[in-house]
Amino acid sequence: MYIRETKRPLNKHMAQHRGAGLLRRLSTQTDGEVRIAQILKEKFPSASSLKVVDISGGCGAMYEIHIESSEFKGKRTVQQHQLVNQALKDEIQGMHGLRIFTEIPKH
């Protein structure tokens, strides 16, 4: 979870949301994180690194995905993201947002 510094006070909902996300990080993965990771492992079997984080505090509304795969080699960033979006097309329908970070292995 990325926490942005702000001069404005947090409203009650934002404070609860932020706190839930911090507490949830100490626990195991959510069902949504596990499901999305499994789909991506199947779609990108050569992925050398994969991280899926529910950044909505555990409710499944928004995820952040970091994936490193040789399957992205020769593709522009937008094409890499399109591959991830295509793999998750059914899951995306129930989300409010998705952050995707793709990389090509250095070696």
Side-chain angles (χ1 to χ4, degrees), residues 29 31-43 50-52 88:
Q29 286 185 301
D31 291 341
E33 290 169 338
V34 171
R35 185 178 64 255
I36 290 169
Q38 184 60 40
I39 291 167
L40 292 173
K41 286 176 188 174
E42 291 173 9
K43 178 65 178 175
L50 175 62
K51 180 180 173 186
V52 178
L88 298 174

Side-chain angles (χ1 to χ4, degrees), residues 46-50 66-70 72 102-106:
S46 68
S48 53
S49 176
L50 175 62
H66 294 262
I67 183 167
E68 181 179 286
S69 178
S70 58
F72 298 139
T102 54
E103 290 189 46
I104 301 165
K106 309 276 189 273

Side-chain angles (χ1 to χ4, degrees), residues 57-89:
C59 72
M62 188 164 181
Y63 291 89
E64 182 169 293
I65 296 170
H66 294 262
I67 183 167
E68 181 179 286
S69 178
S70 58
E71 295 167 71
F72 298 139
K73 190 173 184 175
K75 293 179 174 54
R76 293 175 292 142
T77 302
V78 69
Q79 293 171 317
Q80 296 170 16
H81 290 201
Q82 286 170 341
L83 290 173
V84 174
N85 279 321
Q86 182 61 31
L88 298 174
K89 65 182 176 186

